[in-house]
Amino acid sequence: MATKNTIILAAGKGTRMKSKLYKVLHRLCGKTMVDHVLTAVEKADMDNVVTVVGFGADAVRENLGKRTQYVVQEKQLGTGHAVLQAEKLLGNLDGMTMVVSGDTPLLTTKTFEDLFTYHQNKKAKATILTSQAPDPTGYGRIVRNDLGIVEKIVEQKDATREEQAIDEINTGVYVFDNQALFEALHKLTNDNAQGEYYLTDVIEILKSEGETIAAYKMDDFDESMGVNDRIALARATKIMRTRINRQHMMDGISMIDPERTYIDADVKIGSDTIIEPGVQLKGHTVIGNDCYIGANSEIRDSVLHDHVTVTSSLIEESEMMDHSDIGPNSHLRPEAKIGKHVHLGNFVEIKKSSIDEGTKVGHLTYVGNAKLGKNINVGCGVIFANYDGAHKHETTVGDDSFIGSNSNLIAPLEVADHSFIAAGSTINKTVNQYDMAIARARQTNKAGYFKKLPYQKD
């Protein structure tokens, strides 16, 4: 039975990145480069995906998990040698095998599908993915004859003046007849300046044996970009961000300034949401319909339901229900769950707490390790003191309660429904239903004391 396979090359260290992090693990728009490649490959319906790892093998496995099989290239002896490592998993299969580099994160599923289709239609033993480069300097050129048939790939350093003028370049992505690929790999030699086994030489071997070599030219040159240094990484990030933002706008999202809006690849956004400049939506964030995300907000791995308003605030690993709002300058730390119609005003910090429907936390308040019920009013400057220096403790506040300004609620603590905490109180004992709790020193006025101060004149 014919199979459809992909080999992802991810064994190189990437010295030009000048980084402790292996090249394919550098991120753009929330995912590693090799994850972007694998995601596009997965959507093209593969029977087998094999990733060749070497430097940083454990880190690559941790990043990609069980979504792919792995083989190890122990010594970096060239791209042909790297592909040969997959023989034990794919060598006996019939069908087609694509080879793609893990540092080409802009390639799309559609391009992969079109490449496979073209390969099949041409009944080729190998098909090269090519593109027309605005400046082909440094790329291998695709040399065709008068009939458009591929004659060879010639590298920049080996090209004649006429060949250097060719602007169709080799992207480094190929589809092969699987059996022909591995047979040819065994015929490679390392008789070159680098002493390496090059995958491009497979094309020459198949051509010399009279096999059909095809070349599929894709429309978008940017897709072919390989990332070898930080400059290319920044450029690829900008291209991908533009692609992501454009798709969201086509899906019914309004962006005031797309060039200053930063959305990761896995973010999902509902229709009629408006996003102001400087917003960063990261990780696996999900935003519902009709939301308003104000300028310079950052939302990371969180879920916002419909009609949520965020004004210049930071939200991490949290959830906001319908018609809730936050900000400006507020912070939801991990495991905050905000109910429907909850209002969180300016300079409010919520951590590992739930706040139920209709509750208002207006300003300058910290809520940690707490459960707040419905329709509670929390005054200005309230602190839920959850940490005793060794352990975190929980506070529970019942429905329809009132927490006066500048109160300290010291956990562990239970405040029942319909309770009233007087402003300026420090509460560390249970407050029963319908009680008012007040805990502050009695005011004392010292008559004439002002005149006794040493810096005062008579």
Side-chain angles (χ1 to χ4, degrees):
M1 180 177 120
T3 59
K4 188 178 175 184
N5 315 295
T6 293
I7 299 170
I8 300 175
L9 304 181
K13 186 175 183 180
T15 55
R16 280 184 282 175
M17 298 296 286
K18 292 183 170 58
S19 174
K20 296 182 289 297
L21 188 65
Y22 302 105
K23 180 169 70 169
V24 298
L25 296 179
H26 281 265
R27 291 179 176 269
L28 65 162
C29 297
K31 298 170 71 167
T32 64
M33 290 195 284
V34 69
D35 191 352
H36 280 293
V37 174
L38 177 56
T39 299
V41 166
E42 287 172 326
K43 293 177 181 177
D45 270 340
M46 297 295 150
D47 295 300
N48 299 283
V49 180
V50 178
T51 300
V52 183
V53 294
F55 287 105
D58 290 342
V60 174
R61 286 191 188 99
E62 183 179 355
N63 178 239
L64 301 181
K66 297 180 179 179
R67 296 160 57 196
T68 172
Q69 301 178 78
Y70 300 93
V71 293
V72 179
Q73 185 185 24
E74 298 287 355
K75 295 181 179 180
Q76 309 302 298
L77 300 178
T79 51
H81 177 261
V83 173
L84 187 59
Q85 307 313 300
E87 184 176 32
K88 58 187 177 184
L89 297 177
L90 304 178
N92 294 324
L93 300 178
D94 292 323
M96 304 175 289
T97 295
M98 179 171 69
V99 179
V100 59
S101 175
D103 64 358
T104 52
L106 298 175
L107 288 164
T108 65
T109 299
K110 184 179 185 304
T111 293
F112 292 152
E113 290 173 337
D114 290 346
L115 177 60
F116 274 107
T117 299
Y118 189 87
H119 175 80
Q120 284 181 298
N121 291 342
K122 292 295 182 180
K123 296 180 172 58
K125 289 295 181 181
T127 301
I128 309 159
L129 180 65
T130 74
S131 187
Q132 189 169 348
D135 177 7
T137 304
Y139 290 94
R141 308 301 206 281
I142 303 299
V143 180
R144 298 178 184 259
N145 64 19
D146 293 341
L147 298 176
I149 297 171
V150 175
E151 291 289 335
K152 62 180 177 178
I153 303 171
V154 60
E155 297 302 323
Q156 171 82 25
K157 62 181 182 297
D158 300 321
T160 65
R161 181 174 297 179
E162 291 76 14
E163 290 168 341
Q164 287 182 8
I166 296 170
D167 61 3
E168 185 180 6
I169 57 96
N170 176 23
T171 67
V173 181
Y174 311 87
V175 171
F176 297 95
D177 174 272
N178 190 67
Q179 295 287 343
L181 168 63
F182 287 104
E183 288 172 10
L185 286 171
H186 285 286
K187 300 174 184 177
L188 291 179
T189 69
N190 63 346
D191 185 17
N192 53 62
Q194 301 298 320
E196 295 185 350
Y197 299 90
Y198 293 134
L199 184 60
T200 49
D201 290 346
V202 168
I203 302 297
E204 297 296 324
I205 291 170
L206 294 176
K207 183 72 176 177
S208 69
E209 294 173 351
E211 302 291 359
T212 300
I213 306 299
Y216 172 70
K217 186 191 293 186
M218 63 181 181
D219 296 329
D220 185 359
F221 170 72
D222 285 338
E223 276 194 46
S224 68
M225 181 190 297
V227 176
N228 293 311
D229 57 31
R230 307 294 182 116
I231 297 169
L233 180 63
R235 182 165 175 257
T237 299
K238 185 174 182 179
I239 292 169
M240 181 167 287
R241 186 170 69 240
T242 299
R243 182 191 294 175
I244 290 169
N245 289 358
R246 183 176 184 275
Q247 186 61 54
H248 282 302
M249 288 186 287
M250 290 179 66
D251 290 340
I253 310 307
S254 292
M255 296 183 193
I256 306 303
D257 187 352
E259 292 187 0
R260 295 179 55 217
T261 302
Y262 309 88
I263 302 177
D264 281 354
D266 289 331
V267 171
K268 294 179 173 57
I269 308 173
S271 65
D272 288 318
T273 284
I274 298 173
I275 301 175
E276 290 191 338
V279 168
Q280 299 180 64
L281 305 179
K282 297 183 176 182
H284 292 85
T285 290
V286 177
I287 294 178
N289 301 316
D290 300 287
C291 293
Y292 198 99
I293 312 300
N296 303 313
S297 294
E298 180 179 338
I299 304 172
R300 184 185 313 139
D301 293 315
S302 297
V303 177
L304 277 59
H305 294 257
D306 298 340
H307 300 280
V308 172
T309 298
V310 179
T311 307
S312 302
S313 294
L314 171 60
I315 300 174
E316 306 173 86
E317 300 173 34
S318 296
E319 183 175 9
M320 296 184 69
M321 305 301 287
D322 296 353
H323 297 280
S324 57
D325 68 273
I326 184 173
N329 303 309
S330 290
H331 186 185
L332 294 186
R333 290 168 59 189
E335 298 184 60
K337 185 168 183 179
I338 309 305
K340 295 180 179 179
H341 297 279
V342 168
H343 168 65
L344 306 175
N346 54 296
F347 298 102
V348 171
E349 181 178 346
I350 312 291
K351 175 254 178 186
K352 202 174 183 178
S353 299
S354 62
I355 301 178
D356 211 339
E357 184 172 354
T359 288
K360 294 177 172 57
V361 184
H363 33 220
L364 300 165
T365 291
Y366 171 70
V367 181
N369 295 83
K371 293 181 180 178
L372 276 65
K374 298 177 181 178
N375 302 314
I376 298 167
N377 187 86
V378 180
C380 176
V382 171
I383 296 174
F384 284 70
N386 58 327
Y387 185 49
D388 64 8
H391 303 97
K392 299 290 179 70
H393 301 280
E394 187 173 276
T395 295
T396 302
V397 180
D399 298 345
D400 301 296
S401 295
F402 182 94
I403 312 297
S405 295
N406 202 35
S407 294
N408 299 309
L409 278 61
I410 301 177
L413 179 66
E414 291 189 17
V415 178
D417 296 349
H418 303 281
S419 297
F420 191 104
I421 306 296
S425 294
T426 295
I427 305 298
N428 62 357
K429 295 180 181 178
T430 298
V431 181
N432 296 316
Q433 191 173 19
Y434 303 116
D435 283 357
M436 182 184 81
I438 180 168
R440 59 193 183 207
R442 184 181 299 276
Q443 180 175 328
T444 301
N445 294 350
K446 300 290 185 179
Y449 187 81
F450 181 86
K451 295 179 179 181
K452 297 179 181 180
L453 297 174
Y455 52 82
Q456 299 299 328
K457 296 181 180 179
D458 293 335

